[in-house]
Amino acid sequence: MTDPRDRDYAELIVDRCLAVQPGWQVLVGGNPQARPLLEEVCALVGRRGAHAVPYVAFEGLVTPSLRWVEEAPPELLARPAPLLAHALDTVDALLFVSAPDNARSGADVAAERIGAVQGAYRPHRRRMMNHDVPWVACQYPTSAL
């Protein structure tokens, strides 16, 4: 059964914050624990005549896996994944729901490694930072929060 709070939260995001329009492509990203909200958002995006493009990450939008950040060679960390870069460059709206299962995850990952990944995606996040595309980053309640 759907929690009405998830439905209300999704309506706020889809209708008021993103103002999703028919034909749009909406990147709907978040942590696995946010699935109830992500599913409601995807349903509403569909009802608005737009494409929901789900993206599940264990951590954040551009650092989907801390294990990958720990293990990948530095030169790879400094280059964005072409698929995600293309998505960020072309989506009509973007949502990322943070629902961590551990509030301290990533604390032991070297800051320069995380910084390299974030720097690699900086040009592709410019549309968001300039408000050229509607976007929302929000939280979903978990034990860690």
Side-chain angles (χ1 to χ4, degrees):
M1 172 164 226
T2 302
D3 186 324
R5 294 172 295 183
D6 291 331
R7 188 173 39 251
D8 292 345
Y9 199 5
E11 287 176 359
L12 174 70
I13 292 166
V14 171
D15 293 333
R16 298 213 36 187
C17 299
L18 297 177
V20 172
Q21 302 298 309
W24 278 14
Q25 295 183 91
V26 182
L27 185 64
V28 180
N31 304 127
Q33 297 81 358
R35 183 175 180 175
L37 176 60
L38 297 172
E39 292 280 13
E40 287 295 321
V41 167
C42 286
L44 275 174
V45 166
R47 280 188 223 125
R48 301 303 178 265
H51 295 278
V53 181
Y55 175 79
V56 177
F58 300 127
E59 302 304 328
L61 177 63
V62 298
T63 53
S65 167
L66 287 176
R67 288 297 314 268
W68 179 82
V69 173
E70 290 175 328
E71 299 297 329
E75 60 276 5
L76 185 61
L77 295 174
R79 290 191 321 263
L83 183 63
L84 183 54
H86 178 74
L88 293 173
D89 290 343
T90 61
V91 295
D92 299 296
L94 184 138
L95 164 67
F96 190 82
V97 181
S98 176
D101 55 2
N102 179 352
R104 292 179 177 80
S105 73
D108 57 345
V109 178
E112 60 271 1
R113 294 183 74 77
I114 291 176
V117 173
Q118 291 173 341
Y121 286 96
R122 191 167 291 116
H124 305 285
R125 293 188 350 230
R126 190 167 290 128
R127 294 173 64 223
M128 294 169 20
M129 297 301 103
N130 290 340
H131 302 286
D132 295 333
V133 61
W135 63 278
V136 172
C138 60
Q139 294 180 326
Y140 189 78
T142 63
S143 298
L145 291 176

